[in-house]
Amino acid sequence: VIHSSGSQISKQEIRAYVLQKRRTLLPEEQQRWDEALLERLHPSFHQPGAVYAYTSVRGEASTEYLIDELLKRGAGSAAAGVWREMRFFYVTDRSQLVAGAYGIPEPADGVGADAPKALVITPGVGFSKDGNRIGYGAGIMTAFAAEPDHMAVGICYGFQLFPAFETEKHDKKMAYIVTPEQTIKFCNVWRTRAKQKHIKGIQEQSSRVVNSVFASRYMNRNICKKLERILAGMGLAKMSA
């Protein structure tokens, strides 16, 4: 149990607590949890499309079994690439992975992965039951997970899941959080982000069309006013010239 002076646990407290716990994990305990995680994630492997997975280090929820399963599935899998740039590369064999930045295994070579709707297996120091994530503080994975079309799936051990903690404006929620004991679904959050991006694109495109219509010297003034009222009701406003 972590005690905090405030109503919510701070990120610093969570990082200190989790990293200390990870250093004391028993190998047989971690193996049991990793096998349970794989069992819960297994249905995702039968979905079409790519799966991006990080390569685990230093007591993180292991992706070793997960990556092996993805490699069996074939070309639809990918492993984390250059950590500092958060690029992903398709891999076909474990021999492609070599120690990279911070000692994290990375593909030495390979074809760059470009799957905008990929399911992203996301590491984290801690997660909250309302879908938030705490990383190591660099913000790299946060920026990548914020892509609206990427469905971020956070995986962790039970002691890394908290009721709630401090969040910041740039923090993004997961679509799912998976522990050895449970799967928590937040898909509506991810779908809302994707829908908002789609609607924004439609609105921008519609506004451009509307502008061209309003620019016509042949447009009747009364028709213009009626059209403006209709567009306002649809949430589409005439853009200023």
Side-chain angles (χ1 to χ4, degrees):
V1 178
I2 301 178
H3 298 280
S4 175
S5 56
S7 59
Q8 289 187 325
I9 305 167
S10 73
K11 291 185 176 183
Q12 290 76 14
E13 286 178 296
I14 287 177
R15 288 190 180 109
Y17 170 76
V18 170
L19 295 178
Q20 189 277 330
K21 285 279 289 183
R22 279 178 17 185
R23 286 192 290 269
T24 61
L25 287 178
L26 299 175
E28 58 271 21
E29 183 178 46
Q30 189 172 10
Q31 181 177 350
R32 186 171 67 253
W33 288 344
D34 292 338
E35 290 173 350
L37 278 171
L38 178 64
E39 188 69 24
R40 287 190 170 275
L41 289 167
H42 201 270
S44 303
F45 303 155
H46 299 291
Q47 302 298 319
V51 177
Y52 290 0
Y54 69 94
T55 45
S56 51
V57 292
R58 294 183 285 278
E60 290 179 320
S62 178
T63 56
E64 183 176 348
Y65 299 131
L66 185 152
I67 290 174
D68 285 342
E69 284 293 317
L70 291 173
L71 291 176
K72 290 177 187 176
R73 196 181 78 167
S77 63
V82 181
W83 172 252
R84 286 162 295 185
E85 301 173 17
M86 196 43 63
R87 294 162 55 208
F88 286 79
F89 293 84
Y90 289 114
V91 294
T92 56
D93 190 274
R94 278 194 166 277
S95 63
Q96 291 176 255
L97 300 175
V98 299
Y102 310 109
I104 300 172
E106 300 174 346
D109 53 31
V111 178
D114 183 18
K117 296 183 182 296
L119 185 149
V120 183
I121 305 298
T122 308
V125 174
F127 295 90
S128 69
K129 292 183 178 180
D130 56 356
N132 289 304
R133 169 188 174 272
I134 291 178
Y136 294 95
I140 300 171
M141 199 69 191
T142 298
F144 186 84
E147 290 294 323
D149 291 335
H150 284 139
M151 182 177 284
V153 178
I155 68 171
C156 65
Y157 300 137
F159 65 83
Q160 296 174 265
L161 187 62
F162 300 86
F165 46 67
E166 296 174 350
T167 58
E168 298 174 49
K169 191 176 295 185
H170 61 266
D171 291 336
K172 302 298 179 183
K173 291 182 181 290
M174 301 290 101
Y176 291 86
I177 292 175
V178 182
T179 75
E181 298 81 21
Q182 61 183 314
T183 299
I184 310 175
K185 181 179 179 180
F186 309 97
C187 266
N188 288 339
V189 174
W190 173 79
R191 289 195 180 108
T192 298
R193 291 206 307 261
K195 185 177 180 180
Q196 287 172 343
K197 180 185 177 185
H198 180 65
I199 290 174
K200 183 179 178 182
I202 292 174
Q203 288 177 330
E204 289 175 350
Q205 185 177 8
S206 300
S207 295
R208 285 194 294 270
V209 173
V210 170
N211 277 345
S212 66
V213 172
F214 275 100
S216 172
R217 68 180 65 183
Y218 302 108
M219 178 63 86
N220 180 281
R221 185 180 297 274
N222 290 330
I223 294 176
C224 284
K225 289 181 178 179
K226 289 181 181 179
L227 185 55
E228 283 179 331
R229 287 197 295 269
I230 292 170
L231 292 170
M234 296 171 59
L236 299 172
K238 173 179 174 289
M239 293 172 66
S240 59

